[in-house]
PDB file of all heavy atoms in Angstrom:
ATOM      1  N   ILE G   1      56.605  97.804-118.684  1.00  0.00           N
ATOM      2  CA  ILE G   1      55.063  98.085-118.609  1.00  0.00           C
ATOM      3  C   ILE G   1      54.883  99.042-117.461  1.00  0.00           C
ATOM      4  O   ILE G   1      55.452  98.775-116.392  1.00  0.00           O
ATOM      5  CB  ILE G   1      54.251  96.797-118.459  1.00  0.00           C
ATOM      6  CG1 ILE G   1      54.436  95.897-119.618  1.00  0.00           C
ATOM      7  CG2 ILE G   1      52.778  97.187-118.322  1.00  0.00           C
ATOM      8  CD1 ILE G   1      53.771  94.531-119.458  1.00  0.00           C
ATOM      9  N   ARG G   2      54.120 100.099-117.635  1.00  0.00           N
ATOM     10  CA  ARG G   2      53.880 101.094-116.568  1.00  0.00           C
ATOM     11  C   ARG G   2      52.411 101.224-116.343  1.00  0.00           C
ATOM     12  O   ARG G   2      51.654 101.583-117.177  1.00  0.00           O
ATOM     13  CB  ARG G   2      54.499 102.428-116.986  1.00  0.00           C
ATOM     14  CG  ARG G   2      56.021 102.426-116.933  1.00  0.00           C
ATOM     15  CD  ARG G   2      56.578 103.677-117.611  1.00  0.00           C
ATOM     16  NE  ARG G   2      56.272 103.701-119.106  1.00  0.00           N
ATOM     17  CZ  ARG G   2      56.956 102.999-119.980  1.00  0.00           C
ATOM     18  NH1 ARG G   2      57.955 102.351-119.690  1.00  0.00           N
ATOM     19  NH2 ARG G   2      56.585 103.016-121.258  1.00  0.00           N
ATOM     20  N   TYR G   3      52.019 101.002-115.037  1.00  0.00           N
ATOM     21  CA  TYR G   3      50.607 101.241-114.609  1.00  0.00           C
ATOM     22  C   TYR G   3      50.713 102.243-113.477  1.00  0.00           C
ATOM     23  O   TYR G   3      51.762 102.384-112.884  1.00  0.00           O
ATOM     24  CB  TYR G   3      49.947  99.952-114.053  1.00  0.00           C
ATOM     25  CG  TYR G   3      49.812  98.864-115.040  1.00  0.00           C
ATOM     26  CD1 TYR G   3      49.784  97.507-114.602  1.00  0.00           C
ATOM     27  CD2 TYR G   3      49.623  99.087-116.443  1.00  0.00           C
ATOM     28  CE1 TYR G   3      49.508  96.492-115.479  1.00  0.00           C
ATOM     29  CE2 TYR G   3      49.498  98.002-117.318  1.00  0.00           C
ATOM     30  CZ  TYR G   3      49.444  96.709-116.784  1.00  0.00           C
ATOM     31  OH  TYR G   3      49.272  95.685-117.689  1.00  0.00           O
ATOM     32  N   CYS G   4      49.597 102.889-113.163  1.00  0.00           N
ATOM     33  CA  CYS G   4      49.525 103.784-112.054  1.00  0.00           C
ATOM     34  C   CYS G   4      48.165 103.859-111.458  1.00  0.00           C
ATOM     35  O   CYS G   4      47.162 103.395-112.042  1.00  0.00           O
ATOM     36  CB  CYS G   4      49.984 105.210-112.397  1.00  0.00           C
ATOM     37  SG  CYS G   4      48.781 106.177-113.293  1.00  0.00           S
ATOM     38  N   SER G   5      48.007 104.386-110.235  1.00  0.00           N
ATOM     39  CA  SER G   5      46.729 104.663-109.630  1.00  0.00           C
ATOM     40  C   SER G   5      46.197 106.015-109.950  1.00  0.00           C
ATOM     41  O   SER G   5      46.968 106.841-110.409  1.00  0.00           O
ATOM     42  CB  SER G   5      46.815 104.447-108.087  1.00  0.00           C
ATOM     43  OG  SER G   5      47.816 105.291-107.530  1.00  0.00           O
ATOM     44  N   GLN G   6      44.969 106.322-109.626  1.00  0.00           N
ATOM     45  CA  GLN G   6      44.340 107.627-109.951  1.00  0.00           C
ATOM     46  C   GLN G   6      45.062 108.760-109.200  1.00  0.00           C
ATOM     47  O   GLN G   6      44.962 109.863-109.726  1.00  0.00           O
ATOM     48  CB  GLN G   6      42.873 107.559-109.632  1.00  0.00           C
ATOM     49  CG  GLN G   6      42.037 106.742-110.556  1.00  0.00           C
ATOM     50  CD  GLN G   6      40.584 106.788-110.308  1.00  0.00           C
ATOM     51  OE1 GLN G   6      40.168 107.198-109.196  1.00  0.00           O
ATOM     52  NE2 GLN G   6      39.720 106.385-111.204  1.00  0.00           N
ATOM     53  N   ASP G   7      45.650 108.449-108.026  1.00  0.00           N
ATOM     54  CA  ASP G   7      46.232 109.542-107.292  1.00  0.00           C
ATOM     55  C   ASP G   7      47.740 109.747-107.728  1.00  0.00           C
ATOM     56  O   ASP G   7      48.456 110.591-107.089  1.00  0.00           O
ATOM     57  CB  ASP G   7      46.194 109.237-105.806  1.00  0.00           C
ATOM     58  CG  ASP G   7      47.019 108.017-105.355  1.00  0.00           C
ATOM     59  OD1 ASP G   7      47.480 107.265-106.257  1.00  0.00           O
ATOM     60  OD2 ASP G   7      47.219 107.873-104.130  1.00  0.00           O
ATOM     61  N   ALA G   8      48.236 109.032-108.725  1.00  0.00           N
ATOM     62  CA  ALA G   8      49.643 109.173-109.048  1.00  0.00           C
ATOM     63  C   ALA G   8      49.880 110.461-109.778  1.00  0.00           C
ATOM     64  O   ALA G   8      49.011 110.918-110.546  1.00  0.00           O
ATOM     65  CB  ALA G   8      50.028 107.991-109.986  1.00  0.00           C
ATOM     66  N   TRP G   9      51.007 111.006-109.645  1.00  0.00           N
ATOM     67  CA  TRP G   9      51.608 112.167-110.397  1.00  0.00           C
ATOM     68  C   TRP G   9      53.029 112.013-110.691  1.00  0.00           C
ATOM     69  O   TRP G   9      53.772 111.367-109.836  1.00  0.00           O
ATOM     70  CB  TRP G   9      51.197 113.464-109.787  1.00  0.00           C
ATOM     71  CG  TRP G   9      51.632 113.687-108.373  1.00  0.00           C
ATOM     72  CD1 TRP G   9      50.859 113.294-107.217  1.00  0.00           C
ATOM     73  CD2 TRP G   9      52.755 114.301-107.865  1.00  0.00           C
ATOM     74  NE1 TRP G   9      51.578 113.665-106.105  1.00  0.00           N
ATOM     75  CE2 TRP G   9      52.706 114.324-106.503  1.00  0.00           C
ATOM     76  CE3 TRP G   9      53.869 114.857-108.537  1.00  0.00           C
ATOM     77  CZ2 TRP G   9      53.756 114.835-105.670  1.00  0.00           C
ATOM     78  CZ3 TRP G   9      54.871 115.489-107.721  1.00  0.00           C
ATOM     79  CH2 TRP G   9      54.794 115.414-106.266  1.00  0.00           C
ATOM     80  N   PHE G  10      53.507 112.591-111.744  1.00  0.00           N
ATOM     81  CA  PHE G  10      54.887 112.426-112.199  1.00  0.00           C
ATOM     82  C   PHE G  10      55.478 113.837-112.382  1.00  0.00           C
ATOM     83  O   PHE G  10      54.874 114.764-112.888  1.00  0.00           O
ATOM     84  CB  PHE G  10      54.893 111.694-113.529  1.00  0.00           C
ATOM     85  CG  PHE G  10      54.101 110.353-113.523  1.00  0.00           C
ATOM     86  CD1 PHE G  10      52.710 110.318-113.615  1.00  0.00           C
ATOM     87  CD2 PHE G  10      54.768 109.205-113.160  1.00  0.00           C
ATOM     88  CE1 PHE G  10      52.040 109.178-113.580  1.00  0.00           C
ATOM     89  CE2 PHE G  10      54.077 108.019-113.157  1.00  0.00           C
ATOM     90  CZ  PHE G  10      52.651 107.979-113.270  1.00  0.00           C
ATOM     91  N   GLN G  11      56.771 113.872-111.951  1.00  0.00           N
ATOM     92  CA  GLN G  11      57.487 115.170-112.152  1.00  0.00           C
ATOM     93  C   GLN G  11      58.891 114.966-112.454  1.00  0.00           C
ATOM     94  O   GLN G  11      59.692 114.403-111.732  1.00  0.00           O
ATOM     95  CB  GLN G  11      57.286 115.950-110.815  1.00  0.00           C
ATOM     96  CG  GLN G  11      57.871 117.403-110.890  1.00  0.00           C
ATOM     97  CD  GLN G  11      57.593 118.187-109.579  1.00  0.00           C
ATOM     98  OE1 GLN G  11      57.427 117.576-108.465  1.00  0.00           O
ATOM     99  NE2 GLN G  11      57.493 119.461-109.667  1.00  0.00           N
ATOM    100  N   VAL G  12      59.395 115.490-113.586  1.00  0.00           N
ATOM    101  CA  VAL G  12      60.797 115.526-113.965  1.00  0.00           C
ATOM    102  C   VAL G  12      61.358 116.832-113.219  1.00  0.00           C
ATOM    103  O   VAL G  12      61.374 117.880-113.736  1.00  0.00           O
ATOM    104  CB  VAL G  12      60.933 115.699-115.542  1.00  0.00           C
ATOM    105  CG1 VAL G  12      62.451 115.637-115.896  1.00  0.00           C
ATOM    106  CG2 VAL G  12      60.201 114.614-116.230  1.00  0.00           C
ATOM    107  N   LYS G  13      61.843 116.523-112.076  1.00  0.00           N
ATOM    108  CA  LYS G  13      62.089 117.609-111.064  1.00  0.00           C
ATOM    109  C   LYS G  13      63.510 118.249-111.179  1.00  0.00           C
ATOM    110  O   LYS G  13      63.743 119.290-110.626  1.00  0.00           O
ATOM    111  CB  LYS G  13      61.958 116.961-109.690  1.00  0.00           C
ATOM    112  CG  LYS G  13      62.119 117.903-108.523  1.00  0.00           C
ATOM    113  CD  LYS G  13      60.953 118.903-108.372  1.00  0.00           C
ATOM    114  CE  LYS G  13      61.107 119.657-107.026  1.00  0.00           C
ATOM    115  NZ  LYS G  13      60.030 120.699-106.942  1.00  0.00           N
ATOM    116  N   GLU G  14      64.373 117.631-111.932  1.00  0.00           N
ATOM    117  CA  GLU G  14      65.778 117.964-111.853  1.00  0.00           C
ATOM    118  C   GLU G  14      66.103 119.451-112.104  1.00  0.00           C
ATOM    119  O   GLU G  14      67.036 120.000-111.422  1.00  0.00           O
ATOM    120  CB  GLU G  14      66.609 117.127-112.898  1.00  0.00           C
ATOM    121  CG  GLU G  14      66.828 115.637-112.361  1.00  0.00           C
ATOM    122  CD  GLU G  14      65.644 114.797-112.575  1.00  0.00           C
ATOM    123  OE1 GLU G  14      64.594 115.205-113.031  1.00  0.00           O
ATOM    124  OE2 GLU G  14      65.718 113.546-112.281  1.00  0.00           O
ATOM    125  N   VAL G  15      65.516 120.082-113.068  1.00  0.00           N
ATOM    126  CA  VAL G  15      65.747 121.516-113.264  1.00  0.00           C
ATOM    127  C   VAL G  15      65.489 122.415-112.029  1.00  0.00           C
ATOM    128  O   VAL G  15      66.179 123.440-111.836  1.00  0.00           O
ATOM    129  CB  VAL G  15      65.070 122.147-114.433  1.00  0.00           C
ATOM    130  CG1 VAL G  15      65.466 121.493-115.737  1.00  0.00           C
ATOM    131  CG2 VAL G  15      63.539 122.065-114.303  1.00  0.00           C
ATOM    132  N   ASP G  16      64.593 121.987-111.158  1.00  0.00           N
ATOM    133  CA  ASP G  16      64.310 122.725-109.996  1.00  0.00           C
ATOM    134  C   ASP G  16      65.451 122.644-108.903  1.00  0.00           C
ATOM    135  O   ASP G  16      65.517 123.404-107.981  1.00  0.00           O
ATOM    136  CB  ASP G  16      63.056 122.230-109.337  1.00  0.00           C
ATOM    137  CG  ASP G  16      61.835 122.825-109.943  1.00  0.00           C
ATOM    138  OD1 ASP G  16      61.931 123.672-110.797  1.00  0.00           O
ATOM    139  OD2 ASP G  16      60.614 122.430-109.584  1.00  0.00           O
ATOM    140  N   ILE G  17      66.361 121.681-109.074  1.00  0.00           N
ATOM    141  CA  ILE G  17      67.467 121.578-108.153  1.00  0.00           C
ATOM    142  C   ILE G  17      68.759 121.877-108.901  1.00  0.00           C
ATOM    143  O   ILE G  17      69.887 121.495-108.431  1.00  0.00           O
ATOM    144  CB  ILE G  17      67.483 120.225-107.514  1.00  0.00           C
ATOM    145  CG1 ILE G  17      67.562 119.046-108.430  1.00  0.00           C
ATOM    146  CG2 ILE G  17      66.348 120.101-106.538  1.00  0.00           C
ATOM    147  CD1 ILE G  17      67.764 117.678-107.754  1.00  0.00           C
ATOM    148  N   GLY G  18      68.690 122.478-110.046  1.00  0.00           N
ATOM    149  CA  GLY G  18      69.814 123.012-110.763  1.00  0.00           C
ATOM    150  C   GLY G  18      70.625 122.047-111.583  1.00  0.00           C
ATOM    151  O   GLY G  18      71.839 122.267-111.805  1.00  0.00           O
ATOM    152  N   LEU G  19      69.987 120.936-112.134  1.00  0.00           N
ATOM    153  CA  LEU G  19      70.752 120.087-113.002  1.00  0.00           C
ATOM    154  C   LEU G  19      69.861 119.486-114.086  1.00  0.00           C
ATOM    155  O   LEU G  19      68.584 119.567-113.935  1.00  0.00           O
ATOM    156  CB  LEU G  19      71.397 118.946-112.121  1.00  0.00           C
ATOM    157  CG  LEU G  19      70.399 118.071-111.307  1.00  0.00           C
ATOM    158  CD1 LEU G  19      69.969 116.876-112.097  1.00  0.00           C
ATOM    159  CD2 LEU G  19      71.189 117.636-110.055  1.00  0.00           C
ATOM    160  N   ALA G  20      70.391 118.936-115.037  1.00  0.00           N
ATOM    161  CA  ALA G  20      69.650 118.236-116.103  1.00  0.00           C
ATOM    162  C   ALA G  20      69.559 116.754-115.716  1.00  0.00           C
ATOM    163  O   ALA G  20      70.522 116.179-115.205  1.00  0.00           O
ATOM    164  CB  ALA G  20      70.384 118.342-117.429  1.00  0.00           C
ATOM    165  N   ALA G  21      68.398 116.199-115.906  1.00  0.00           N
ATOM    166  CA  ALA G  21      68.113 114.800-115.525  1.00  0.00           C
ATOM    167  C   ALA G  21      69.230 113.952-116.289  1.00  0.00           C
ATOM    168  O   ALA G  21      69.395 114.073-117.527  1.00  0.00           O
ATOM    169  CB  ALA G  21      66.757 114.306-115.926  1.00  0.00           C
ATOM    170  N   ASP G  22      69.953 113.075-115.540  1.00  0.00           N
ATOM    171  CA  ASP G  22      71.132 112.408-116.092  1.00  0.00           C
ATOM    172  C   ASP G  22      71.210 110.912-115.946  1.00  0.00           C
ATOM    173  O   ASP G  22      72.185 110.281-116.219  1.00  0.00           O
ATOM    174  CB  ASP G  22      72.458 113.014-115.582  1.00  0.00           C
ATOM    175  CG  ASP G  22      72.531 112.920-114.031  1.00  0.00           C
ATOM    176  OD1 ASP G  22      71.590 112.403-113.446  1.00  0.00           O
ATOM    177  OD2 ASP G  22      73.495 113.458-113.475  1.00  0.00           O
ATOM    178  N   VAL G  23      69.983 110.312-115.601  1.00  0.00           N
ATOM    179  CA  VAL G  23      70.048 108.819-115.432  1.00  0.00           C
ATOM    180  C   VAL G  23      69.037 108.130-116.253  1.00  0.00           C
ATOM    181  O   VAL G  23      68.584 107.000-115.932  1.00  0.00           O
ATOM    182  CB  VAL G  23      70.020 108.398-113.944  1.00  0.00           C
ATOM    183  CG1 VAL G  23      71.325 108.724-113.280  1.00  0.00           C
ATOM    184  CG2 VAL G  23      68.849 108.956-113.190  1.00  0.00           C
ATOM    185  N   GLY G  24      68.532 108.848-117.294  1.00  0.00           N
ATOM    186  CA  GLY G  24      67.697 108.062-118.281  1.00  0.00           C
ATOM    187  C   GLY G  24      66.400 108.795-118.767  1.00  0.00           C
ATOM    188  O   GLY G  24      65.962 108.444-119.860  1.00  0.00           O
ATOM    189  N   THR G  25      65.818 109.710-118.021  1.00  0.00           N
ATOM    190  CA  THR G  25      64.566 110.319-118.475  1.00  0.00           C
ATOM    191  C   THR G  25      64.698 111.033-119.832  1.00  0.00           C
ATOM    192  O   THR G  25      63.917 110.809-120.722  1.00  0.00           O
ATOM    193  CB  THR G  25      64.113 111.364-117.382  1.00  0.00           C
ATOM    194  OG1 THR G  25      63.661 110.610-116.251  1.00  0.00           O
ATOM    195  CG2 THR G  25      62.861 112.137-117.977  1.00  0.00           C
ATOM    196  N   LEU G  26      65.748 111.795-120.028  1.00  0.00           N
ATOM    197  CA  LEU G  26      65.853 112.561-121.239  1.00  0.00           C
ATOM    198  C   LEU G  26      66.125 111.678-122.423  1.00  0.00           C
ATOM    199  O   LEU G  26      65.934 112.033-123.565  1.00  0.00           O
ATOM    200  CB  LEU G  26      66.974 113.639-121.123  1.00  0.00           C
ATOM    201  CG  LEU G  26      66.826 114.662-119.943  1.00  0.00           C
ATOM    202  CD1 LEU G  26      67.916 115.733-120.020  1.00  0.00           C
ATOM    203  CD2 LEU G  26      65.492 115.235-119.997  1.00  0.00           C
ATOM    204  N   GLN G  27      66.617 110.493-122.215  1.00  0.00           N
ATOM    205  CA  GLN G  27      66.961 109.553-123.287  1.00  0.00           C
ATOM    206  C   GLN G  27      65.779 108.657-123.551  1.00  0.00           C
ATOM    207  O   GLN G  27      65.490 108.311-124.764  1.00  0.00           O
ATOM    208  CB  GLN G  27      68.228 108.701-122.946  1.00  0.00           C
ATOM    209  CG  GLN G  27      69.535 109.532-122.787  1.00  0.00           C
ATOM    210  CD  GLN G  27      69.583 110.448-121.646  1.00  0.00           C
ATOM    211  OE1 GLN G  27      69.046 110.135-120.502  1.00  0.00           O
ATOM    212  NE2 GLN G  27      70.179 111.594-121.872  1.00  0.00           N
ATOM    213  N   ARG G  28      65.033 108.180-122.557  1.00  0.00           N
ATOM    214  CA  ARG G  28      63.961 107.223-122.795  1.00  0.00           C
ATOM    215  C   ARG G  28      62.609 107.800-122.875  1.00  0.00           C
ATOM    216  O   ARG G  28      61.800 107.286-123.670  1.00  0.00           O
ATOM    217  CB  ARG G  28      64.013 106.165-121.676  1.00  0.00           C
ATOM    218  CG  ARG G  28      65.302 105.344-121.484  1.00  0.00           C
ATOM    219  CD  ARG G  28      65.182 104.280-120.487  1.00  0.00           C
ATOM    220  NE  ARG G  28      66.391 103.442-120.490  1.00  0.00           N
ATOM    221  CZ  ARG G  28      67.372 103.526-119.542  1.00  0.00           C
ATOM    222  NH1 ARG G  28      67.302 104.422-118.552  1.00  0.00           N
ATOM    223  NH2 ARG G  28      68.430 102.765-119.689  1.00  0.00           N
TER     224      ARG G  28
END
């Protein structure tokens, strides 16, 4: 279950550091 506050923000950042996300984001 995922909740957040109004000031929350999310960023799949990995491409900005030269790699593909490799610990679950791309799969889930």
Side-chain angles (χ1 to χ4, degrees):
I1 299 172
R2 289 167 295 278
Y3 298 154
C4 76
S5 58
Q6 287 181 347
D7 68 344
W9 53 273
F10 307 83
Q11 187 175 24
V12 184
K13 182 72 172 174
E14 283 80 357
V15 293
D16 278 356
I17 57 174
L19 57 92
D22 57 2
V23 289
T25 291
L26 302 186
Q27 293 70 37
R28 296 186 176 103

